[in-house]
Amino acid sequence: MTLQTILPVQAAQIKEWAETRGEAAWLTQRRLEALELAGSLELPKPEKTKLDRWDLSGYGSFKAGAKVSSQDELPAAAKELIEEGTQNLIVQHNSGVVYAALSEELSAKGVIFTDLETAAREHEVLVKKHLGTAVKTSEHQVSALHYAAWTGGVFLYVPKNVELEVPLQAVYLSDDASATFAPHILIVADMNSRVTYVDNYVSAGLSGSVLHNGVVEVVALDGAKVQYATVHQFGKEVTDISYRRALLSNDADIEWIVGEMNDGDTIADTATTLNGNGTHSDAKIIAIGSGSQKLNYTTRAVHFGKSSESDMFTRAVMREEAQSIINGITKIEHGATKANGQQTEKVLMLSPKARGDANPILLIDEDDVMAGHAASVGKVNPEQVYYLMSRGISKLEAERLIIYGFLAPIIAEIPLELLRTRLQRIVERKLGQ
């Protein structure tokens, strides 16, 4: 059986896409090697989710939107996600980046913020060194196919000792069901740098099914601090598979802020490897499931460094017939003395047919550490509802306030006001309010 008959991407496609984009030869070679590897790999096996029953064939073909010179020319679905006056912005429309802007001030500091394909040509040494280090091509068939077929994406590099006060933003829009949509984000924060990056994934007007096979890699070198905020709000036509990974060197810090607001089936894996001593990872995830969605969210932290700390905090609300598997995994390796890993998973179920499964997992191979977990799955607390009703609030409004209070600690952490406001509206829509 040949690769062409078992895989949704073919070598001829890859070569054609690469020639169309004027891609760097070394990158095309990597793609072809990834495709060959995909033929021998199995699908990933997320906890209690059988991916072999999902339709993962919707890779489409390379179709990039026309490049634009100003934000006014962007599609409406992208423009409404961008705050007025935003200077540092990348927008991907279907298979390619159509708009990229970086302020002169940040450019003068040596900051690189461009699409990953351009970076592979113009900053080959940096991209070659870090691409594929956090998410390996060989992990499983989905990751190998991503490395064979990714398009567009972002490369962000912050030089040593540069601290950025203003968030950098990206928007990823899918509105053509026949277009490949698999962006790759690579962020490299050099020693003692600091950066906040915010992105938003959205679909609009799709006439068929789309697979989003996306990867995020964050490399934080000694003393670097990265804040990464993302909101996924794909429609029901999109199956979303996202792998987000961070690698931390000594005294580095990553903060994940994730809003999972899709209407379609979703698998998301957000993980940090704490390689260095004194590292810290903080992951805050909120999710809302509705309709008949199948959802699987995994958050993990793997400790190698001494005195490393990780916090994971997931809150999910399931309504109608949505089903979710929520995994929290803390792994402390032998030698990671004084490590501290804490995690909490909480699920609210708003209907009898909704399902939420919270799985806290601690894997400890070292004695001199601290670790803890908490998990809860249940309905809205009737005592809280009764208390609010005793103050003159209706039952419906009381339940609404309790749900918003349940999600508010993470929504408040979103670093852009427009995105916070939009996330609040998405929450209301997802909850049928």
Side-chain angles (χ1 to χ4, degrees):
M1 189 173 289
T2 65
L3 283 175
Q4 284 80 0
T5 59
I6 64 173
L7 295 177
V9 180
Q10 300 181 11
Q13 282 180 292
I14 292 174
K15 293 176 182 177
E16 181 183 350
W17 298 348
E19 185 176 349
T20 300
R21 300 191 299 265
E23 185 170 89
W26 68 268
L27 184 53
T28 303
Q29 183 59 35
R30 279 200 185 186
R31 291 184 187 278
L32 294 172
E33 291 170 357
L35 182 64
E36 184 175 1
L37 184 60
S40 62
L41 295 174
E42 296 182 351
L43 289 171
K45 297 178 181 177
E47 186 76 17
K48 299 181 181 179
T49 299
K50 295 184 178 181
L51 269 185
D52 56 356
R53 298 179 180 177
W54 292 30
D55 180 7
L56 303 180
S57 62
Y59 280 85
S61 57
F62 177 77
K63 293 184 178 181
K67 291 186 178 295
V68 300
S69 57
S70 73
Q71 294 180 23
D72 291 337
E73 301 174 68
L74 291 169
K79 280 196 294 187
E80 65 182 20
L81 300 172
I82 303 166
E83 289 187 356
E84 186 176 352
T86 298
Q87 292 183 290
N88 307 299
L89 173 69
I90 287 178
V91 177
Q92 177 165 340
H93 186 192
N94 295 317
S95 303
V97 169
V98 298
Y99 180 83
L102 179 66
S103 70
E104 293 182 2
E105 179 185 0
L106 297 192
S107 181
K109 291 180 178 181
V111 174
I112 301 169
F113 188 50
T114 186
D115 66 274
L116 185 55
E117 295 173 8
T118 297
R121 294 191 300 269
E122 299 180 358
H123 307 282
E124 180 178 326
V125 174
L126 268 175
V127 175
K128 260 188 175 181
K129 181 178 181 180
H130 297 290
L131 182 65
T133 56
V135 177
K136 302 292 186 183
T137 307
S138 59
E139 286 191 27
H140 42 65
Q141 189 179 98
V142 171
S143 64
L145 284 173
H146 170 85
Y147 278 103
W150 69 263
T151 61
V154 164
F155 178 68
L156 169 58
Y157 171 74
V158 186
K160 181 179 178 180
N161 298 324
V162 172
E163 297 189 4
L164 304 183
E165 301 296 334
V166 179
L168 286 77
Q169 186 179 3
V171 175
Y172 305 93
L173 168 63
S174 172
D175 62 6
D176 184 342
S178 65
T180 301
F181 191 65
H184 188 108
I185 293 84
L186 176 58
I187 297 175
V188 181
D190 214 328
M191 296 173 60
N192 300 314
S193 64
R194 181 165 60 87
V195 63
T196 294
Y197 168 87
V198 181
D199 63 24
N200 201 303
Y201 294 74
V202 63
S203 62
L206 290 171
S207 59
S209 60
V210 171
L211 172 67
H212 169 249
N213 180 356
V215 165
V216 174
E217 299 186 286
V218 178
V219 180
L221 302 181
D222 291 357
K225 299 186 183 304
V226 178
Q227 184 183 49
Y228 190 111
T230 184
V231 176
H232 286 225
Q233 49 176 310
F234 290 125
K236 62 183 179 180
E237 304 88 355
V238 180
T239 298
D240 183 3
I241 301 182
S242 297
Y243 289 90
R244 312 178 189 99
R245 303 283 170 77
L247 302 177
L248 305 186
S249 299
N250 291 331
D251 299 312
D253 190 312
I254 177 78
E255 181 182 14
W256 299 103
I257 305 168
V258 179
E260 299 284 5
M261 300 290 141
N262 293 329
D263 289 331
D265 295 341
T266 301
I267 289 179
D269 186 307
T270 304
T272 303
T273 302
L274 298 94
N275 288 316
N277 300 331
T279 49
H280 180 236
S281 172
D282 184 5
K284 303 181 182 75
I285 319 289
I286 62 169
I288 298 179
S290 58
S292 58
Q293 283 182 277
K294 303 294 187 293
L295 309 167
N296 188 300
Y297 305 119
T298 298
T299 312
R300 74 181 81 223
V302 183
H303 295 250
F304 289 95
K306 296 178 173 60
S307 300
S308 53
E309 296 186 6
S310 67
D311 295 287
M312 297 184 293
F313 189 65
T314 302
R315 292 197 173 189
V317 177
M318 297 295 117
R319 62 187 294 257
E320 297 171 334
E321 298 180 12
Q323 299 181 19
S324 64
I325 307 295
I326 298 173
N327 308 301
I329 304 171
T330 303
K331 178 74 166 72
I332 300 180
E333 302 287 354
H334 180 66
T337 56
K338 307 297 183 184
N340 184 1
Q342 305 293 327
Q343 58 169 283
T344 302
E345 293 83 40
K346 295 185 176 182
V347 185
L348 275 181
M349 293 184 294
L350 304 185
S351 76
K353 294 184 178 181
R355 293 290 181 268
D357 188 351
N359 304 301
I361 301 169
L362 300 178
L363 305 171
I364 314 297
D365 288 337
E366 180 58 58
D367 295 330
D368 187 13
V369 300
M370 294 179 62
H373 64 76
S376 66
V377 177
K379 301 178 181 179
V380 174
N381 189 327
E383 292 183 1
Q384 293 176 334
V385 174
Y386 178 77
Y387 174 80
L388 291 173
M389 290 178 65
S390 71
R391 297 300 187 268
I393 298 173
S394 69
K395 181 179 180 181
L396 183 63
E397 181 66 10
E399 290 180 342
R400 188 185 74 87
L401 290 173
I402 291 168
I403 294 167
Y404 288 151
F406 179 73
L407 299 173
I410 298 176
I411 294 177
E413 296 293 326
I414 298 290
L416 288 178
E417 182 178 356
L418 179 65
L419 195 52
R420 276 198 308 274
T421 303
R422 184 173 179 83
L423 182 56
Q424 185 69 39
R425 292 202 301 268
I426 297 169
V427 168
E428 291 173 358
R429 177 182 61 78
K430 290 280 286 181
L431 292 175
Q433 298 171 347

